[in-house]
């Protein structure tokens, strides 16, 4: 079997697929890419047994058809330093060897039998389909993934929840202390469906999706999902279980609202956080008319810091405590210049929203307060 393919196209696709492969695999064949050649096309697969990513390339020339597996580091190292040029792969299926011929040289290495490579299960006819723009999916995953939990007991919180309702598609992540809820009003269904995307495939999508307006097709059932974008498909196992009732923790009315420059508040938080208790990372916000005082202290080491930031606030003065690192994460994952922070009292959740919502969307972030030691 012999075929020719672009060096840069092959290198870029392998670089994307390599993100799926674990550094240590229980099955040795999962250290490999699976190459399948047929009908003038090359399909390459990478897997970690739970997540499978496939991509297709059109071949310039082809003689014969077949499949083989090759170690991911071997083929990546072989092609990543090559400039754009045609690569010819000559595969001897009897001796299980691969010869890569390029403009001024040649590589030789061994390959493995493709029959040993595990195959992914096909989606059933009962699978639901969701169509979303690549940019929207990337933006919402990027905005949410920091809030995904890492729990051993509540596994359902270890992923991003996709909740398709009659009003909108809600994309949600929470670790119990902070919560992100994104609403996409252009996507809705009279037949509500939902699934929980594990953190690894969500991270893969964050790293490989682009800001294009092309459509991503998501097919999913109770156990698996297939996400297709461009010439690439990611199949993954979903988290099984019932996601917490996220809507119940979002206050319907937080009467006190302040408007503040997002970057100015992030800067103040980062300057006072080094002086906070290492164990709690607590910061105190003293909110008053026209200003907010950000402070921290570590009683054990007799350190403290405080800084004032201008804001727009006309409500009742209050002091409220937060985990500073979580507040910085929330503010860092919003994009607007100004943010609105909505409060009820120092014991109830704070809602943080951008002053200008993305078109056709509603972004809401929530942070639980910490008890202040007055």
């Amino acid at each position: 079997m012999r075929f020719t393919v672009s060096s840069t196209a092959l290198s870029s696709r392998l670089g994307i697929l390599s993100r799926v492969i674990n550094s240590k695999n229980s099955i040795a064949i999962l250290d490999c890419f699976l190459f399948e050649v047929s009908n003038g096309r090359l399909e390459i697969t990478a897997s970690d047994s739970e997540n499978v990513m496939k991509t297709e390339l059109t071949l310039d020339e082809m003689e014969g058809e077949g499949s083989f597996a090759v170690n991911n580091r071997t083929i990546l190292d072989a092609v990543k330093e090559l400039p754009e040029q045609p690569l010819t792969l000559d595969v001897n299926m009897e001796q299980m060897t691969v010869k890569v011929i390029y403009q001024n040289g040649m590589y030789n290495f061994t390959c493995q039998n493709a029959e040993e490579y595990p195959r992914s299960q096909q989606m059933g006819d009962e699978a639901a389909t969701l169509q979303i723009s690549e940019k929207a999916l990337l933006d919402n995953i990027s905005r949410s993934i920091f809030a995904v939990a890492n729990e051993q007991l509540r596994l359902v919180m270890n992923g991003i929840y996709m909740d398709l309702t009659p009003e909108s598609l809600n994309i949600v992540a929470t670790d119990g202390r902070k919560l992100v809820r994104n609403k996409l009003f252009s996507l809705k269904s009279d037949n509500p469906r939902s699934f929980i995307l594990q953190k690894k495939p969500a991270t893969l999508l964050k790293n490989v999706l682009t800001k294009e307006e092309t459509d991503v097709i998501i097919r999913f059932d109770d156990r698996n999902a297939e996400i297709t974008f461009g010439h690439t498909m990611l199949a993954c196992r979903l988290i099984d279980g019932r996601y917490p009732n996220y809507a119940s923790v979002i206050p319907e009315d937080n009467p006190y609202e302040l408007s503040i420059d997002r970057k100015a508040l992030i800067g103040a938080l980062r300057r006072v956080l080094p002086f906070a208790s290492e164990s709690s990372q607590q910061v105190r916000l003293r909110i008053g008319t026209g200003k907010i005082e950000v402070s921290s202290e570590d009683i054990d080491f007799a350190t403290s810091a405080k800084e004032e930031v201008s804001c727009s606030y006309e409500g009742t003065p209050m002091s409220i405590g937060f985990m500073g690192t979580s507040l910085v994460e929330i503010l860092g994952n919003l994009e607007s210049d100004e943010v609105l922070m909505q409060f009820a009292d120092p014991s109830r959740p704070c809602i943080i929203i951008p002053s200008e919502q993305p078109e056709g969307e509603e972004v809401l972030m929530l942070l639980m307060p910490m008890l202040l030691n007055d």
Side-chain angles (χ1 to χ4, degrees):
M1 178 175 61
R2 186 182 177 97
F3 59 90
T4 302
V5 66
S6 159
S7 61
T8 52
L10 179 60
S11 180
S12 64
R13 299 292 180 88
L14 292 177
I16 291 172
L17 296 187
S18 66
R19 299 175 185 269
V20 181
I21 300 174
N22 291 332
S23 56
K24 293 182 180 179
N25 290 292
S26 55
I27 306 172
I29 194 71
L30 293 179
D31 290 332
C32 299
F33 293 117
L34 174 65
F35 283 65
E36 297 176 282
V37 179
S38 63
N39 300 320
R41 304 188 73 81
L42 167 64
E43 182 178 87
I44 311 172
T45 303
S47 173
D48 65 359
S49 76
E50 286 197 349
N51 305 289
V52 180
M53 189 178 281
K54 298 182 178 183
T55 190
E56 280 191 350
L57 285 165
T58 301
L59 297 176
D60 300 329
E61 299 176 16
M62 188 188 88
E63 295 177 15
E65 296 183 348
S67 57
F68 61 96
V70 61
N71 182 273
N72 76 93
R73 293 300 339 154
T74 302
I75 188 68
L76 279 169
D77 290 341
V79 301
K80 69 180 180 181
E81 297 298 337
L82 293 174
E84 167 57 27
Q85 60 185 285
L87 288 185
T88 299
L89 280 75
D90 194 342
V91 185
N92 187 320
M93 301 300 292
E94 293 182 358
Q95 298 180 6
M96 300 305 291
T97 59
V98 179
K99 183 185 296 183
V100 180
I101 304 167
Y102 59 98
Q103 187 172 357
N104 297 312
M106 178 182 68
Y107 303 121
N108 272 307
F109 46 85
T110 59
C111 59
Q112 299 183 43
N113 193 325
E115 293 180 2
E116 299 176 14
Y117 204 89
R119 305 290 171 159
S120 58
Q121 294 183 347
Q122 297 297 315
M123 298 286 292
D125 295 335
E126 73 282 0
T129 301
L130 179 64
Q131 189 168 310
I132 182 172
S133 81
E134 191 169 346
K135 180 182 184 301
L137 184 59
L138 172 61
D139 287 346
N140 283 277
I141 288 178
S142 300
R143 193 185 294 131
S144 308
I145 200 165
F146 79 95
V148 172
N150 185 20
E151 290 274 351
Q152 296 299 318
L153 298 178
R154 295 178 292 178
L155 296 178
V156 292
M157 296 172 68
N158 293 349
I160 294 179
Y161 185 48
M162 304 280 193
D163 187 19
L164 187 61
T165 73
E167 293 79 33
S168 60
L169 171 65
N170 299 338
I171 300 176
V172 182
T174 181
D175 62 3
R177 180 168 292 278
K178 54 185 179 286
L179 178 145
V180 180
R181 186 200 65 191
N182 307 279
K183 285 189 173 185
L184 279 76
F185 296 108
S186 60
L187 296 171
K188 48 191 164 184
S189 173
D190 293 331
N191 180 25
R193 297 289 297 267
S194 62
F195 64 92
I196 308 172
L197 185 67
Q198 293 193 62
K199 188 171 184 177
K200 179 171 180 178
T203 303
L204 289 169
L205 291 170
K206 177 187 174 183
N207 290 332
V208 302
L209 291 176
T210 67
K211 293 280 189 177
E212 300 293 331
E213 292 291 346
T214 52
D215 285 336
V216 175
I217 308 298
I218 304 175
R219 297 183 67 237
F220 63 96
D221 56 22
D222 294 336
R223 296 176 60 86
N224 302 287
E226 286 183 358
I227 303 164
T228 304
F229 49 99
H231 297 287
T232 303
M233 187 273 288
L234 172 63
C236 55
R237 192 172 299 167
L238 301 173
I239 297 176
D240 185 26
R242 183 183 294 275
Y243 201 78
N245 183 5
Y246 60 89
S248 66
V249 302
I250 301 173
E252 293 185 3
D253 180 35
N254 274 13
Y256 305 118
E257 180 178 272
L258 71 81
S259 174
I260 191 167
D261 183 278
R262 182 178 65 89
K263 291 181 179 178
L265 182 54
I266 290 175
L269 287 165
R270 286 178 173 161
R271 286 186 285 274
V272 304
L273 260 172
F275 301 92
S277 167
E278 190 172 338
S279 58
S280 69
Q281 294 290 296
Q282 185 184 80
V283 296
R284 177 195 294 261
L285 304 185
R286 285 189 175 90
I287 305 165
T289 302
K291 68 178 181 180
I292 182 170
E293 182 186 274
V294 183
S295 63
S296 65
E297 66 175 342
D298 187 341
I299 297 173
D300 294 336
F301 292 93
T303 62
S304 64
K306 65 179 180 180
E307 182 174 329
E308 285 190 356
V309 184
S310 298
C311 70
S312 176
Y313 181 72
E314 301 294 338
T316 302
M318 73 170 73
S319 290
I320 188 168
F322 293 112
M323 180 180 286
T325 50
S326 294
L327 184 53
V328 169
E329 282 183 314
I330 285 177
L331 295 169
N333 281 280
L334 293 169
E335 295 180 354
S336 62
D337 293 334
E338 299 273 331
V339 294
L340 305 178
M341 301 178 70
Q342 300 170 349
F343 307 89
D345 62 61
S347 64
R348 295 179 62 190
C350 169
I351 291 175
I352 304 170
I353 59 175
S355 59
E356 295 183 7
Q357 294 283 2
E359 185 177 355
E361 299 182 32
E362 181 184 285
V363 179
L364 178 149
M365 301 197 183
L366 177 149
L367 184 60
M368 300 297 293
M370 299 177 72
L371 182 65
L372 289 169
N373 296 319
D374 289 319

